[in-house]
Amino acid sequence: MADEVKIDAHTFHHRLSSLTSAWKADKRAGNALFTGVGSIVVLMGKNEETASYQKSNAMHYWLLGYEFPATLMVFTPDALWIVTTTKKAKHLEGLKGGKIPLEILSRAKDPEQNAKHFERCLDLIKGAGKKVGILAKDTTSGPFVEEWKKAYGDISKDVEEVDVTPALSIAALAVKDETELRNMRDSSRASAGIMTEFFVEEMSEVLDEEKKVTHKQLSDKIDRKIDEPKFFQNLKSKLSGDFDTQQLDFIYGPVVQSGGNYDLKLTAQSDENNLHAGTIIAGLGLRYKSYCSMVARTYLVDPNDAQESNYKLLLSVHEVVIKEAKEGVAVKDLYNKAISLIKSKKPELEKHLTKTVGAGIGLETRDAVLAINAKNTRVLKDGMTLYISTGFTDVENPQPQDKKSKTYSLLITDTIRIRKDQDPAVFTNGAASDTGSVCFFFKDEEEEPPPKKQTKKDPKVGAVAASNITKTKLRAERTTQVDEGAEARRREHQKELAQKKQQEGLSTYSEAVGDENGVTQKKFKKFESYKRDNQFPSKVKDLAIVVDEKALTIVLPIMGRPVPFHIQTVKNASKSDEGEFAFLRINFLSPGQGVGRKDDQPFEDPTAHFVRSLTFRSRDADRMEAIAQQVTDLRKSAVRKEQEKKELEDVVEQDKLVEVRNRKPIRLDQIFVRPAMDGKRVPGEVEIHQNGLRYVDHRGNKIDVLFSNVKHLFFQPCTHELIVIIHVHLKNPIMIGKKKAKDVQFYREATDMQYDETGNRKRKHHRYGDEEEFEQEQEERRQRANLDKLFKRFAEDIQQAARDEGWGVDIPFRELGFNGVPNRSNVFMQPTADCLVQLTEPPFTVITLDEIEVAHLERVQFGLKNFDMVFVFKDFHRPPVHINTIPVESLEPVKEWLDSINIAYSEGPLNLNWSSIMKTITADPHQFFVDGGWSFLAAESDEEDEDEEEEESAFEMSDEELAASEESSDDESDFDDDASADEGSEVSEESGGEDWDELEKKAKKKDREGGLEDEDKGRKRKR
């Protein structure tokens, strides 16, 4: 053992110092916690094999990492005295020399010397004050303990004993550091892994095959699982990389209960009764590196409505208690919240709630100081860990399925960590507790399809007047006249929207503070190459230039000393020759270089001096060349890594997908995915699970998309398209293969080579004649309709499975679409109820309408065939999105659509420099809105309109000039007589004063007659 014991001195001194600091702070504040004790005695007797730790065991593990039997610790605010055996004392000698003095007294075989050690400790206790702190509830035994009690009895009348168990819990053990939290997390995840990936599978197999297995046998199987390292290798994605299965042990259970006999206490044990297919409670707790965790779940087999309803209530109570557990909250408030919820929902169940709904957990299995009951006034702090255990005991079943189901109990237990200003972290969330995961139905019952919710749509959103929808692309058949009434109505509405935006801007940015959106100002970049001198490469002793690729550092000899420069401070390196010498010049990045560069570093200290470059001379030209090349390569590698890190910094690691276990998941097969995974494109299947979607291709590659990470769900039918699409737009990107993706699309091709319903194989069409072609077109039309129906139903199933997330299926309005260039290619943009999308060609475009601040139409002027549209987002730090080269024929429909969804828009003749505009806005948003906000865009468009009106009014023509121009146009006309006659008739009719509607009707009639006459003449000429 001597070789194995290694005590972390840094941890020991840090934790001892934090304890004494809390002790002294409590004295200054009025002794509320330590109650004025001058010393604390922690006594450990002989080693006893117990599942749970006492406070003395916990203090040993907390300070030393080990349990030292037959050891006495005497704490004072200024020192620590330890009496122990000689062998143990050797391990403690290395802890001396810290901030808090440590005195170690070694016991030997000499009774007189041992008695003197105890006398010195008693003198220390008496000198520290009348009050001495003890651990009143701890029980310990052995010869060492008897000797101490005999010696302590001499002064017991002169001192006052005070129980400091609560003080040690709060000041030392309750708040965990990062190392302790990591051990807690590993312990919790191992517990949840055993529960979900072993027990649930075993239980399902027993119930499905109707085996006769006792609770004890099932518990023993779980108990043996921690001796199988292979099992935990499958959990490596959840556990730390250095997870050691040898340090795992059970501290609670495993306990399996069913058949009407339930005990929800931690002392419960599995009995010899067979597992009953009804209400099954399973619980277990693991200790990993001395830190504990607990998890318990209730599984309901073919439950009736009352049981399912009561479980849902318990789950709600459990979630409320967890959500309420935050820093600064009193422990009793958690219990009172649970009681209040039960009283409001089902008051009759209040008496069945457990007396406590959890306690502290860590080194101790159950720290009663933080017991969650109606009387505990302790306040929660960041870093504390609790187990939350909510349960109903002995609830009567109004409709018992059998004799053993007359009464039942329910229990849910999780291990959590308290956090500051946010909801607690649930370490055991890998074990699902929702009704879909814990309810098992083995009886043959047909599931009724859930009723579809009919959502009311705002008539203003996603729809425009039918008169504004372009029916044709031929200019001759499309009116170019602007509806003046609609334009006036839009302008009036846009003025209201502009005023509203201005008011919102002034109220949101009420103070003149730059970058109020929460983006920090650019700071001077700092890098660290080495923390200690002994980390330098050994070659620096020669005072040579060393390129340390591992530390990303160049070590340069300056004034006889090796000076490290991180590669991120280096701009470039070059080598030049001059005579017999070679020169190596290294240029550094420093503030003030490259005015206008995006990555230019800011000044932090205007008086500081910066090294711009260093030059070294050598006769060895080859070495100088090699060093320059090494620096260049290292710089490129560092820049590439920095770019990759920046690229992936917004990628999130999703929670685990909870698979459907009690039935087959709804799936859609023969599906392709975009972006495609590595390798050849192969089809796969999409499945709907408890909390997300899973795509699996035929090679076994998986893509999991959780409902909680979905922002929008789209269904695009194959009408006028080659594919039918279900598109998922995510809140945060995920990794697909080696690339990040914020959009995941599932599609199937809808070409003339369709998939047959029978074998999912491509059908080959043989063409013989017109009838066969007609039948083929009919078949393709039918196939497309079936494909749309199939995908739409699947999208609705996804919406139903994620009904608690608050999003639904969005379908593009093709009739409102328009062509444009959002990236590089010209594509067809389509509005939906919530977005503007392009889902057919990658890269996809999804713009959420609620996130748009204003829209600006650029290059809107007479004579241009196209215009551009720019969307500015409410988050001003987000770059605006451009959709370029939109045909001018779509201008009026686009305006009408923007107005109908209440987006303020403006228009102008030129393209604006949006990067500089957004920099001005983000620098001081308050001043921007004080100066008028977005009115500068409207002012630009108004000035353009006024200029056009002035130009039109300046051009006047007399009647004589008009007549002369008409004569000249007649002489120069190249049209035939019929066309001239038609034109003359139109002019004469126009001069007659008829209105436009009548003229339009007559013109169409003349066009039809003229077309027939021309056709007849053409036929005669051919003959």
Side-chain angles (χ1 to χ4, degrees):
M1 180 180 175
D3 296 334
E4 297 176 0
V5 175
K6 186 177 181 181
I7 301 172
D8 190 335
H10 174 75
T11 301
F12 171 81
H13 290 300
H14 174 72
R15 293 180 180 177
L16 180 59
S17 178
S18 66
L19 173 61
T20 55
S21 297
W23 193 351
K24 292 175 182 178
D26 183 63
K27 276 192 174 183
R28 292 191 296 269
N31 295 313
L33 187 60
F34 285 85
T35 63
V37 298
S39 60
I40 298 174
V41 175
V42 176
L43 179 64
M44 175 75 73
K46 66 179 182 181
N47 192 9
E48 297 178 1
E49 292 292 335
T50 57
S52 61
Y53 288 169
Q54 299 185 109
K55 196 69 68 179
S56 55
N57 304 77
M59 287 299 296
H60 274 241
Y61 278 105
W62 185 67
L63 281 174
L64 307 174
Y66 298 91
E67 183 181 286
F68 278 45
T71 300
L72 172 69
M73 290 183 178
V74 180
F75 296 83
T76 68
D78 301 312
L80 169 61
W81 286 44
I82 300 178
V83 180
T84 188
T85 61
T86 304
K87 289 184 178 179
K88 299 187 187 77
K90 290 180 181 179
H91 299 303
L92 301 174
E93 286 294 333
L95 302 178
K96 288 184 176 180
K99 183 179 177 182
I100 307 298
L102 173 64
E103 186 71 26
I104 301 172
L105 305 176
S106 301
R107 285 170 56 85
K109 294 182 179 180
D110 186 0
E112 293 182 3
Q113 186 68 28
N114 295 341
K116 287 182 181 180
H117 290 336
F118 282 154
E119 286 178 9
R120 292 182 65 183
C121 292
L122 294 173
D123 292 339
L124 179 67
I125 293 171
K126 287 188 289 185
K130 267 199 166 187
K131 289 186 176 182
V132 57
I134 62 169
L135 303 176
K137 295 183 179 180
D138 277 22
T139 58
T140 185
S141 60
F144 179 82
V145 175
E146 295 302 323
E147 283 186 49
W148 168 251
K149 286 182 178 179
K150 183 178 179 182
Y152 179 75
D154 297 337
I155 67 162
S156 59
K157 296 178 181 179
D158 302 330
V159 295
E160 179 187 349
E161 293 183 347
V162 178
D163 186 12
V164 291
T165 301
L168 293 182
S169 286
I170 300 300
L173 304 176
V175 178
K176 314 294 190 296
D177 59 28
E178 189 57 40
T179 303
E180 294 175 292
L181 290 173
R182 190 181 304 112
N183 293 337
M184 291 283 298
R185 187 166 53 246
D186 282 340
S187 175
S188 302
R189 290 179 175 176
S191 299
I194 291 177
M195 179 67 74
T196 56
E197 299 188 24
F198 179 72
F199 172 74
V200 173
E201 297 295 336
E202 283 289 318
M203 178 189 69
S204 301
E205 183 180 343
V206 170
L207 296 175
D208 197 21
E209 299 180 7
E210 299 182 355
K211 294 180 180 178
K212 300 294 182 182
V213 178
T214 67
H215 299 144
K216 187 71 169 60
Q217 290 172 338
L218 201 51
S219 297
D220 291 341
K221 275 191 174 183
I222 302 171
D223 197 350
R224 292 192 294 268
K225 206 65 188 174
I226 64 171
D227 299 325
E228 298 180 16
K230 288 184 179 180
F231 173 77
F232 293 98
Q233 287 176 0
N234 297 328
L235 303 176
K236 280 295 182 184
S237 59
K238 309 168 191 175
L239 304 174
S240 299
D242 58 349
F243 186 80
D244 183 8
T245 56
Q246 297 297 319
Q247 302 198 51
L248 273 177
D249 194 12
F250 278 103
I251 49 97
Y252 161 54
V255 182
V256 180
Q257 305 175 74
S258 67
N261 298 321
Y262 303 99
D263 182 3
L264 304 189
K265 297 177 182 178
L266 293 181
T267 55
Q269 293 184 348
S270 301
D271 56 30
E272 295 292 343
N273 295 325
N274 288 333
L275 186 69
H276 173 255
T279 302
I280 302 171
I281 295 179
L284 61 93
L286 287 177
R287 174 181 284 127
Y288 176 69
K289 292 185 178 179
S290 304
Y291 288 87
C292 307
S293 67
M294 274 192 282
V295 62
R297 293 290 182 264
T298 301
Y299 297 98
L300 305 173
V301 181
D302 296 318
N304 54 38
D305 292 342
Q307 289 176 310
E308 200 166 349
S309 175
N310 289 341
Y311 181 83
K312 287 180 180 178
L313 175 60
L314 179 65
L315 183 60
S316 300
V317 171
H318 189 76
E319 290 172 347
V320 163
V321 173
I322 291 178
K323 192 172 184 180
E324 189 69 17
K326 296 179 182 178
E327 185 178 41
V329 176
V331 173
K332 65 177 183 179
D333 292 343
L334 306 185
Y335 190 84
N336 293 334
K337 279 279 184 181
I339 291 293
S340 299
L341 181 59
I342 295 171
K343 285 182 177 179
S344 64
K345 300 287 186 181
K346 292 187 177 183
E348 66 275 11
L349 289 178
E350 181 185 353
K351 62 183 180 182
H352 296 284
L353 182 68
T354 50
K355 299 302 179 184
T356 61
V357 293
I361 193 171
L363 287 167
E364 297 174 275
T365 306
R366 182 180 187 273
D367 188 351
V369 174
L370 291 174
I372 305 173
N373 53 39
K375 298 178 180 179
N376 196 340
T377 57
R378 304 285 179 193
V379 176
L380 299 177
K381 296 180 181 178
D382 181 20
M384 286 184 173
T385 51
L386 310 172
Y387 74 88
I388 305 297
S389 184
T390 55
F392 292 141
T393 59
D394 300 329
V395 181
E396 291 187 10
N397 189 355
Q399 298 174 337
Q401 293 88 337
D402 49 44
K403 292 181 180 180
K404 292 185 177 182
S405 300
K406 291 180 180 179
T407 60
Y408 63 94
S409 297
L410 303 172
L411 179 68
I412 307 174
T413 303
D414 280 302
T415 304
I416 69 168
R417 175 242 167 136
I418 307 300
R419 295 191 289 189
K420 188 176 182 179
D421 299 330
Q422 55 182 319
D423 292 341
V426 183
F427 287 157
T428 51
N429 60 359
S433 57
D434 59 289
T435 52
S437 301
V438 302
C439 293
F440 292 80
F441 298 92
F442 291 96
K443 294 179 180 178
D444 296 331
E445 295 180 356
E446 295 184 0
E447 295 183 1
E448 297 182 1
K452 296 181 181 179
K453 296 182 179 178
Q454 295 182 350
T455 56
K456 295 183 180 179
K457 291 187 177 180
D458 187 350
K460 290 185 177 180
V461 178
V464 296
S467 59
N468 289 290
I469 298 174
T470 303
K471 301 293 185 182
T472 177
K473 291 187 177 181
L474 300 176
R475 284 178 291 179
E477 298 178 13
R478 184 168 65 238
T479 176
T480 57
Q481 298 293 327
V482 178
D483 188 346
E484 296 295 338
E487 181 67 21
R489 175 181 53 77
R490 282 203 303 265
R491 288 196 175 189
E492 191 64 29
H493 187 218
Q494 285 299 312
K495 285 182 181 179
E496 295 175 4
L497 292 176
Q499 292 174 359
K500 185 179 178 182
K501 285 291 176 189
Q502 178 68 8
Q503 293 171 0
E504 288 177 357
L506 290 172
S507 61
T508 303
Y509 305 100
S510 56
E511 297 179 3
V513 179
D515 278 320
E516 280 195 19
N517 283 10
V519 176
T520 56
Q521 296 286 346
K522 187 183 288 186
K523 294 183 179 180
F524 190 84
K525 297 179 181 178
K526 296 181 180 180
F527 306 96
E528 186 177 47
S529 297
Y530 307 105
K531 292 184 178 180
R532 294 179 296 276
D533 293 345
N534 58 6
Q535 293 179 339
F536 275 84
S538 57
K539 295 181 181 179
V540 300
K541 295 178 181 179
D542 302 330
L543 291 179
I545 300 175
V546 179
V547 179
D548 188 355
E549 296 182 0
K550 186 177 179 181
L552 298 176
T553 299
I554 307 169
V555 184
L556 303 176
I558 301 176
M559 305 295 290
R561 290 178 176 272
V563 181
F565 292 87
H566 197 277
I567 193 63
Q568 294 286 7
T569 65
V570 177
K571 184 179 180 182
N572 53 42
S574 61
K575 174 252 182 185
S576 60
D577 298 319
E578 188 174 329
E580 59 181 357
F581 293 102
F583 292 86
L584 175 67
R585 179 183 176 91
I586 300 177
N587 297 317
F588 297 96
L589 293 169
S590 60
Q593 284 185 329
V595 178
R597 287 179 52 187
K598 291 182 179 179
D599 58 346
D600 188 28
Q601 300 192 35
F603 283 97
E604 197 170 67
D605 182 5
T607 62
H609 294 272
F610 294 89
V611 178
R612 288 284 177 89
S613 65
L614 291 173
T615 303
F616 295 87
R617 187 181 68 175
S618 174
R619 296 180 185 275
D620 190 348
D622 293 339
R623 174 164 168 73
M624 292 292 103
E625 180 68 31
I627 291 174
Q629 187 61 41
Q630 286 179 354
V631 173
T632 302
D633 294 344
L634 188 60
R635 172 71 181 161
K636 289 180 180 178
S637 175
V639 170
R640 185 177 66 255
K641 289 179 180 177
E642 190 73 19
Q643 289 175 346
E644 291 175 356
K645 183 180 178 182
K646 189 175 181 180
E647 179 73 15
L648 300 177
E649 62 184 4
D650 58 343
V651 175
V652 298
E653 182 179 351
Q654 298 185 116
D655 294 332
K656 182 183 175 184
L657 184 78
V658 180
E659 298 182 26
V660 174
R661 295 183 180 274
N662 49 1
R663 57 176 174 80
K664 288 186 178 180
I666 302 172
R667 59 166 53 95
L668 197 61
D669 56 5
Q670 293 298 325
I671 300 299
F672 295 97
V673 67
R674 293 194 292 193
M677 289 183 282
D678 299 335
K680 184 181 177 182
R681 191 187 74 143
V682 294
E685 295 180 344
V686 188
E687 299 175 344
I688 303 175
H689 288 278
Q690 293 288 340
N691 63 339
L693 303 175
R694 168 166 287 174
Y695 175 81
V696 185
D697 67 13
H698 292 173
R699 292 193 300 262
N701 298 321
K702 294 180 181 178
I703 299 177
D704 291 344
V705 179
L706 296 192
F707 295 144
S708 58
N709 194 30
V710 174
K711 189 174 183 181
H712 299 291
L713 175 67
F714 303 100
F715 160 66
Q716 180 173 297
C718 56
T719 309
H720 305 291
E721 300 288 352
L722 297 177
I723 56 177
V724 57
I725 294 170
I726 290 177
H727 188 96
V728 181
H729 183 65
L730 305 176
K731 297 175 184 176
N732 299 297
I734 61 173
M735 294 301 295
I736 297 180
K738 297 180 180 179
K739 297 180 180 180
K740 73 172 186 178
K742 202 170 182 179
D743 293 272
V744 182
Q745 186 177 105
F746 308 108
Y747 71 96
R748 188 189 289 178
E749 295 174 352
T751 58
D752 57 348
M753 301 286 285
Q754 287 297 330
Y755 290 100
D756 198 345
E757 296 89 343
T758 55
N760 289 326
R761 296 180 178 179
K762 288 187 176 182
R763 300 182 59 183
K764 297 181 180 180
H765 299 286
H766 301 280
R767 306 190 178 194
Y768 300 103
D770 293 341
E771 291 183 4
E772 284 77 5
E773 286 189 12
F774 177 74
E775 289 179 3
Q776 178 185 330
E777 289 175 4
Q778 293 287 82
E779 176 69 11
E780 184 174 343
R781 200 173 290 116
R782 187 184 67 83
Q783 290 277 3
R784 282 175 172 266
N786 290 339
L787 205 54
D788 286 345
K789 186 177 178 181
L790 178 66
F791 270 65
K792 186 176 182 181
R793 190 189 308 121
F794 190 76
E796 290 171 349
D797 289 337
I798 297 174
Q799 178 183 349
Q800 180 64 25
R803 53 189 174 276
D804 296 333
E805 297 295 334
W807 45 260
V809 182
D810 215 353
I811 303 176
F813 300 111
R814 187 174 183 85
E815 62 272 17
L816 304 181
F818 54 88
N819 285 293
V821 183
N823 292 292
R824 291 185 177 180
S825 57
N826 194 314
V827 293
F828 191 66
M829 306 292 300
Q830 300 180 77
T832 71
D834 300 318
C835 302
L836 177 64
V837 301
Q838 185 282 120
L839 309 176
T840 307
E841 296 181 19
F844 308 114
T845 302
V846 178
I847 302 172
T848 305
L849 301 179
D850 288 341
E851 298 174 356
I852 296 174
E853 174 79 2
V854 294
H856 183 65
L857 309 178
E858 299 179 329
R859 296 195 301 124
V860 179
Q861 54 180 309
F862 181 76
L864 293 183
K865 296 181 179 180
N866 303 300
F867 68 96
D868 305 329
M869 180 162 53
V870 181
F871 290 113
V872 181
F873 296 99
K874 294 175 181 177
D875 178 7
F876 295 149
H877 290 86
R878 186 176 169 185
V881 170
H882 298 252
I883 300 176
N884 301 324
T885 323
I886 304 173
V888 73
E889 290 82 12
S890 301
L891 179 60
E892 290 303 311
V894 166
K895 286 182 181 179
E896 187 66 28
W897 169 66
L898 291 172
D899 189 69
S900 68
I901 57 176
N902 296 326
I903 290 182
Y905 71 84
S906 55
E907 57 184 86
L910 302 173
N911 292 106
L912 303 179
N913 187 348
W914 286 99
S915 59
S916 60
I917 291 174
M918 299 313 295
K919 282 181 182 178
T920 304
I921 297 173
T922 53
D924 192 349
H926 172 73
Q927 190 60 41
F928 170 72
F929 283 102
V930 168
D931 294 339
W934 303 108
S935 60
F936 78 95
L937 296 174
E940 180 189 4
S941 60
D942 292 342
E943 289 174 5
E944 180 64 19
D945 293 340
E946 290 174 4
D947 293 342
E948 290 180 2
E949 289 175 4
E950 288 176 3
E951 291 175 5
E952 290 174 3
S953 60
F955 179 72
E956 295 181 358
M957 183 179 284
S958 64
D959 294 337
E960 295 176 358
E961 291 173 339
L962 180 61
S965 64
E966 287 179 356
E967 290 176 2
S968 62
S969 63
D970 289 340
D971 295 338
E972 295 170 3
S973 176
D974 294 331
F975 295 108
D976 58 16
D977 296 338
D978 291 334
S980 301
D982 293 340
E983 185 175 332
S985 65
E986 287 183 12
V987 173
S988 64
E989 288 169 0
E990 182 177 340
S991 61
E994 295 180 2
D995 61 13
W996 285 105
D997 292 337
E998 294 177 1
L999 287 172
E1000 186 73 20
K1001 292 178 182 178
K1002 290 185 177 182
K1004 288 181 179 179
K1005 185 178 179 182
K1006 289 287 185 182
D1007 287 342
R1008 288 196 296 271
E1009 293 175 355
L1012 289 172
E1013 290 174 4
D1014 291 342
E1015 192 176 13
D1016 292 340
K1017 288 180 181 178
R1019 289 177 180 173
K1020 290 177 181 178
R1021 287 171 189 160
K1022 287 178 184 178
R1023 289 175 184 173

